[in-house]
C-alpha cells in the first residue's frame, strides 16, 4: 500500500513563532517526531506539508525550513501560507513563493476569518493570482462557511480547490456521537457541484477532540463519497493536530488529571479506519491514498485533474434515508 498524506503539519516553536500553540500542541513536531509516527501499513509514504499558521511575516521562512527537511522526511509538495486579501502585498508574496521549488499550492486559513471574506473583491483578486500560477488553494473553513467556498468556486471555476477536513462538521465524540446535519450535507453537496473542488478525508479526529471511533465517523465519510465521488477524495492525517486527545492506554506520560495528551498511534489509526471503510464500501483505496492527491497537486505524471463531473450516487436519497 502506498500513501501520500495530503495534509501533514510540522512546526518548531524554537525556530518560528506560532500564536496558537498551547497545551500538548506547544512542542516540537518535526523530523524526529514524524519518524516515530510513521505509517507502518504503508510500503511507500510521501506527504504534502500544509502551512501551520506561523506568524505571517514568517510564511516564507516556514517554506524554506520545510524544504530543508523535505528529502529526508518524504515531503514532495508544500501548501504555503499566504494572505490573499492584501492586494500588491499578496502578489509580491506569491512571486516570492514561486522561487521555492516544492510549493504546489497556498492556504489562507479562513476558519477564524469573518464570514464573507472569501468572496470579497480583494480575496477573489488574490485567488485569481493563485489560479493564474497553476497552483491549488486549500480551503480550511468551518461548516457554516461552506457556502462562501462554493461562491468562491463559482467566481473562479478554473481554481483547483480542496476542502480541508470535510468542512469541519460537528461529529461529537465516541461517547456522544453526532449524525451528519442536513445543513452540512446540503452545503457539501452544493460545493461538490464545482468539478475543480476536491475534499480531504482529514481532521475529523480533531473535531472529536481526539475521542473518536470508526462507527462514529464513517457516516461523514459516506457523505463525502456520495457528494464528491471517490475520484475527488484524498486521505490526510492532519498530524499532529489530529493526534491530541485523551491519553492512549499505557501512555507513561499520561497526566493524572486526564488532561489531553499526544496520541502516538493516532496517525496510523486514522489511516486504518479510512482504509477499512473504503474497502468495505468497494472504493478505490489507491485513489484515495495516493492517486487523487498526486493528480490534484500535480505531483506526478498524471497532470491536472480532469474537469468533468464524476458519477454521483444520489445525496438526495441519503437525505431521505434511503
Amino acid at each position: 500500500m502506498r500513501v501520500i498524506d495530503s495534509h501533514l503539519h510540522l512546526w518548531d516553536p524554537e525556530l518560528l513563532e506560532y500564536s496558537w500553540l498551547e497545551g500538548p500542541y506547544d512542542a516540537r513536531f518535526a523530523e524526529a517526531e514524524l519518524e516515530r509516527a510513521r505509517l507502518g501499513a504503508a510500503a511507500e509514504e510521501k506527504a504534502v506539508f500544509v502551512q501551520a499558521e506561523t506568524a505571517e511575516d514568517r510564511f516564507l521562512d516556514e517554506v524554506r525550513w520545510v524544504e530543508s527537511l523535505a528529502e529526508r522526511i518524504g515531503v514532495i509538495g508544500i501548501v504555503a501560507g499566504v494572505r490573499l486579501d492584501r492586494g500588491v502585498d499578496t502578489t509580491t508574496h506569491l512571486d516570492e513563493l514561486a522561487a521555492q521549488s516544492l510549493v504546489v499550492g497556498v492556504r489562507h486559513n479562513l476558519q477564524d476569518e469573518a464570514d464573507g471574506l472569501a468572496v470579497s473583491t480583494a480575496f477573489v483578486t488574490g485567488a485569481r493570482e493563485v489560479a493564474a500560477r497553476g497552483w491549488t488553494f486549500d480551503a480550511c473553513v468551518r461548516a457554516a462557511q461552506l457556502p462562501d467556498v462554493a461562491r468562491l468556486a463559482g467566481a473562479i471555476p478554473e481554481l483547483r480547490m480542496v476542502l480541508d477536513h470535510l468542512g469541519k462538521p460537528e461529529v461529537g465524540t465516541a461517547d456522544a456521537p453526532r449524525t451528519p446535519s442536513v445543513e452540512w450535507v446540503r452545503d457539501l453537496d452544493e460545493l461538490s457541484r464545482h468539478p475543480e473542488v476536491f475534499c480531504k478525508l482529514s481532521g475529523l479526529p480533531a473535531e472529536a477532540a481526539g475521542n473518536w471511533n470508526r462507527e462514529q465517523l464513517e457516516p461523514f465519510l459516506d457523505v463525502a463519497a456520495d457528494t464528491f465521488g471517490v475520484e475527488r477524495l484524498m486521505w490526510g492525517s492532519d498530524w499532529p493536530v489530529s493526534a491530541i486527545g485523551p491519553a492512549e492506554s499505557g501512555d507513561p506520560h499520561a497526566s493524572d488529571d486526564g488532561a489531553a495528551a499526544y496520541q502516538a498511534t493516532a496517525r496510523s489509526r486514522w489511516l486504518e479506519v479510512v482504509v477499512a471503510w473504503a474497502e468495505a464500501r468497494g472504493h478505490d483505496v489507491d485513489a484515495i491514498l495516493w492517486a487523487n492527491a498526486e493528480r490534484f497537486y500535480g505531483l506526478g505524471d498524471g497532470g491536472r485533474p480532469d474537469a468533468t463531473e464524476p458519477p454521483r450516487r444520489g445525496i438526495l436519497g441519503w437525505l431521505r434515508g434511503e
Side-chain angles (χ1 to χ4, degrees), residues 24-180:
Y25 292 111
D26 192 9
R28 186 178 191 269
F29 289 98
E31 184 175 0
E33 293 75 21
L34 178 60
E35 190 60 36
R36 292 192 287 271
R38 288 295 182 189
L39 303 169
E44 183 177 3
E45 178 183 338
K46 303 295 183 182
V48 174
F49 167 81
V50 177
Q51 61 98 211
E53 208 63 5
T54 188
E56 183 178 341
D57 62 355
R58 303 300 302 276
F59 281 167
L60 192 57
D61 292 331
E62 180 181 54
V63 169
R64 290 168 175 158
W65 171 59
V66 174
E67 284 193 336
S68 74
L69 305 174
E71 186 174 356
R72 298 195 301 274
I73 65 177
V75 166
I76 55 176
I78 291 175
V79 176
V82 70
R83 293 292 181 265
L84 290 178
D85 58 342
R86 303 291 172 81
V88 173
D89 287 344
T90 292
T91 302
T92 299
H93 184 56
L94 293 175
D95 288 342
E96 291 173 335
L97 289 175
Q100 310 305 312
S101 61
L102 289 183
V103 172
V104 294
V106 301
R107 183 170 82 160
H108 178 140
N109 197 334
L110 290 165
Q111 63 181 347
D112 294 322
E113 298 279 19
D115 291 348
L117 177 66
V119 291
S120 66
T121 299
F123 193 97
V124 171
T125 298
R128 286 199 173 107
E129 291 278 353
V130 175
R133 287 167 167 78
W135 288 340
T136 64
F137 176 67
D138 266 57
C140 183
V141 297
R142 304 188 192 281
Q145 298 169 300
L146 285 171
D148 279 353
V149 180
R151 290 172 63 194
L152 177 64
I156 317 174
E158 70 276 18
L159 176 62
R160 288 177 291 151
M161 294 202 300
V162 60
L163 178 66
D164 294 347
H165 316 326
L166 292 83
K168 295 198 163 191
E170 293 186 6
V171 300
T173 64
D175 305 317
R178 300 283 296 271
T179 58

